[in-house]
Amino acid sequence: MLGGVAQGLADHLGVPVLWVRLAFVVSTLFQLAGVLAYVAFWVFVPLGSAAESPGLASATRRGLRRGSDEDAGPQSNRSTLQTAALVVLGVGVVWIVVGSDTVSTLVFPAVLAIAGFALIWRQADDRSLERWVRVTSGWQAALRIAAGTLLVLIAYAVFVAQLGGGLQSAAQLLAALVVAVAGALLLLGPWVVRLVSDLAAERRERVRSQERADVAAHLHDSVLQTLALLQKNAHDPATVATLARRQERELRDWLYGDRTPDDATLRSGLAADAAEIETTYRVPIEVVGVGDTDPDPDVDALRAAAREAMTNAAKHSGADRIDVYVEVAGAAAEVFVRDRGVGFDPEQVPEDRLGIRRSLVERMKRHRGTVDVRSAPGEGTEVRLVLPLVREPSSDGGRDTAPQGAEGGDA
Amino acid sequence: MSTPTNAASPRDLAVVLVDDHAMFRTGVRAELGSTVRIVAEAGDVDEAIRAVEAYRPDVVLLDVHLPGGGGAEVLRRVATRYPDTKFLALSVSDAAEDVIGVIRAGARGYVTKNITGDELVDAIRRVAGGDAVFSPRLAGFVLDAFAGTIEVAQVDSDLDRLTEREREVMRLIARGYAYKEVAKALFISVKTVETHVSSVLRKLQLSSRHELTRWASDRRLI
């Protein structure tokens, strides 16, 4: 709860925050490494920023849904206590390790100095220049800076007094100068670093908002185009429905989607294929997925087979919608393509469709996959494609498998 | 969805319509026509709460995105006080965090706004009868949220993982099967399917399973 460093690291590494805090405390035993690491992380690691899809971010801003910040209540209280306890523990550990009498003369001023630095550094740890100005303009802030500086000076004076007992020799004067400069750097350093990173963040934000404006303009164009087309085709319900659905899909992808490139994964590829077939044959195709996998020749074959199955269903079934379900779990990837159309008797398949089925089966077989077609006249058809995944499914566990979820950003 | 099993005629069902877009409310009202009784409309969280308190409706059609904190906020403030009122979430957003979020807050089902009028009436009836309404997409989210439940050996409370049967039901729903078709495929009754679905819903609302919690916190649900 000091700088949120432990929390950030814990999020990044995916371990409980308590472990990270304990790690800091334990490593403090070795030459105060924990403290130094904490400070280093604090200064150099950028603050985590949440990247939400534009639709969700906007809904959060307008209070249409609850954002992330509000729910931290009781949890963070406990967390503060935890931090305080660990800090006390850390100080105790240092105390014991360093010993009470011999070096306490050095430890005490060191602690004072660290406290001073901490007070000043705290000021620099802010998101923006604005906040810096606001925080520093009050008398409280002035008091804090003064206190910090005073502490550092006292510590320095005590330190020097302990070492030499005076400033007579020129060498000592030089050393004092070096120490003073180093102190000044320490004082101003974090602020400068923070300022620079703030500038970078601002630049990034500007680029991002320009990007958004471009996309918004593009969307406006496409929405206007669609509306014009809708008016022209008002007499043809099928066209109207297709146009509206395509527009809806585009908007939905932009507002709530994770905007994965079409060929990046099995699921995004299938979704792209489905969208294309939907536009061509004017049958809505609903793609639902669980888990995902990166493309490779085998997965591409699965995708191609699924595409063929979707095309068949769209072309021949006469169903008013097609459901596609993709599941990548453990050792296999499965795709189900289901329609509630006319169906057929698998025993009496017309020659041309048999050909299509054979090519589907052959293709999957070449990649160790299987095809299973279930159908009966009047009951629709379901094609099940199974592809065993031979490689380590390790990418499954860490992979984010939410279909449309916005990515939680942690830096 | 398949034909409903409970006997209550939808005409007797009192429904409150909550959406911040008046145009959409008008559209739903026209589409539902006289199939249900729409007793009140509301455009934000406070209005919705007042309407629920005043009318004690059977079903609330609840928009996920709503001024004043969203549909989840409405659920948080009234769902436990009026156990007889059922909530059906209605949204244009397909984002997993919104869908699961509103379900975890207490909604009995989730449908997208492009649902047809007949399907919506059926969903309302189902929710009013105490059942859960799972679309293929919601089933997909649920399977995703409970992912990792395959390792049966893991010792865990029953609450925190789906049984093999529940997983099968979820997978069939995700594949586009209606309850009736699920029942046929698994050689069980529709009532049993409904029981499984309701129990999945309950687990989703109460579960504290590590994976689910982490999945949710990754999406900043909790």
Side-chain angles (χ1 to χ4, degrees), chain A residues 236-403:
Chain A
D236 180 1
T239 309
V240 168
T242 311
L243 284 170
R245 199 170 151 81
R246 195 182 62 197
Q247 188 59 67
E248 183 196 332
R249 194 174 52 232
E250 273 181 35
L251 273 174
R252 201 185 278 278
D253 277 355
W254 182 69
L255 284 171
Y256 304 112
D258 48 9
R259 286 202 273 169
T260 319
D262 284 355
D263 296 322
T265 66
L266 173 63
R267 252 163 71 186
S268 58
L270 273 179
D273 290 348
E276 209 182 306
I277 294 165
E278 189 176 294
T279 313
T280 313
Y281 296 100
R282 299 183 177 177
V283 183
I285 302 180
E286 188 83 12
V287 182
V288 172
V290 172
D292 210 347
T293 183
D294 296 327
D296 64 15
D298 292 344
V299 172
D300 287 346
L302 176 67
R303 180 182 159 190
R307 189 191 166 98
E308 213 167 297
M310 286 191 277
T311 310
N312 280 347
K315 240 189 298 279
H316 303 294
S317 76
D320 55 3
R321 77 178 250 174
I322 296 165
D323 287 292
V324 177
Y325 175 62
V326 199
E327 184 175 292
V328 182
E334 281 179 282
V335 179
F336 296 86
V337 178
R338 178 186 163 78
D339 68 69
R340 285 201 191 75
V342 289
F344 59 92
D345 185 349
E347 299 298 310
Q348 299 172 326
V349 187
E351 219 22 66
D352 59 325
R353 283 190 70 181
L354 189 64
I356 292 167
R357 258 185 71 200
R358 273 202 188 123
S359 87
L360 204 76
V361 172
E362 288 303 312
R363 178 182 282 163
M364 286 301 289
K365 207 182 260 171
R366 274 200 298 278
H367 295 271
R368 297 179 318 281
T370 54
V371 180
D372 177 23
V373 180
R374 276 187 214 180
S375 187
E379 290 191 14
T381 308
E382 185 172 51
V383 179
R384 174 174 184 243
L385 308 163
V386 184
L387 178 77
L389 298 174
V390 276
R391 69 219 129 128
E392 276 299 296
S394 61
S395 60
D396 272 356
R399 174 177 290 279
D400 182 2
T401 50

Side-chain angles (χ1 to χ4, degrees), chain A residues 10-273:
Chain A
D11 282 352
H12 190 70
L13 300 173
V15 296
V17 63
L18 186 65
W19 295 10
V20 179
R21 294 205 170 113
L22 279 175
F24 273 123
V25 170
V26 169
S27 58
T28 303
L29 285 174
F30 308 99
Q31 314 274 326
L32 297 178
V35 172
L36 291 178
Y38 191 96
V39 166
F41 274 122
W42 195 353
V43 174
F44 292 109
V45 175
L47 291 168
S49 60
E52 272 187 318
S53 71
L56 293 184
S58 145
T60 310
R61 272 198 302 279
R62 287 179 294 146
L64 302 187
R65 64 195 286 276
R66 284 161 69 92
S68 46
D69 300 338
E70 300 164 324
D71 303 337
Q75 174 91 35
S76 70
N77 240 343
R78 209 189 70 205
S79 194
T80 310
L81 281 177
Q82 207 181 64
T83 310
L86 283 174
V87 166
V88 171
L89 182 66
V91 170
V93 164
V94 170
W95 198 259
I96 291 164
V97 167
V98 171
S100 46
D101 30 285
T102 48
V103 208
S104 69
T105 45
L106 288 182
V107 169
F108 196 62
V111 168
L112 269 182
I114 287 172
F117 284 138
L119 272 175
I120 293 167
W121 284 36
R122 193 73 199 89
Q123 305 281 313
D125 184 14
D126 285 321
R127 265 164 212 268
S128 67
L129 191 59
E130 266 172 40
R131 177 116 178 258
W132 162 257
V133 170
R134 204 181 67 222
V135 170
T136 42
S137 57
W139 61 270
Q140 281 181 319
L143 202 69
R144 250 179 287 168
I145 287 195
T149 315
L150 194 69
L151 280 175
V152 173
L153 283 178
I154 290 173
Y156 173 62
V158 171
F159 196 68
V160 169
Q162 300 276 348
L163 272 183
L167 286 176
Q168 286 88 357
S169 79
Q172 269 177 343
L173 199 66
L174 194 67
L177 204 67
V178 170
V179 170
V181 169
L185 276 178
L186 270 175
L187 280 175
L188 294 175
W191 182 58
V192 171
V193 169
R194 195 54 70 183
L195 207 65
V196 169
S197 76
D198 273 352
L199 270 177
E202 255 175 45
R203 207 175 306 131
R204 224 170 21 243
E205 184 53 43
R206 204 163 51 232
V207 169
R208 206 177 297 149
S209 67
Q210 275 167 2
E211 203 175 81
R212 274 184 196 158
D214 287 348
V215 180
H218 167 77
L219 278 172
H220 275 118
D221 285 352
S222 75
V223 172
L224 286 178
Q225 295 281 0
T226 305
L227 287 175
L229 281 172
L230 284 178
Q231 287 171 44
K232 263 187 217 154
N233 292 290
H235 52 87
D236 180 1
T239 309
V240 168
T242 311
L243 284 170
R245 199 170 151 81
R246 195 182 62 197
Q247 188 59 67
E248 183 196 332
R249 194 174 52 232
E250 273 181 35
L251 273 174
R252 201 185 278 278
D253 277 355
W254 182 69
L255 284 171
Y256 304 112
D258 48 9
R259 286 202 273 169
T260 319
D262 284 355
D263 296 322
T265 66
L266 173 63
R267 252 163 71 186
S268 58
L270 273 179
D273 290 348

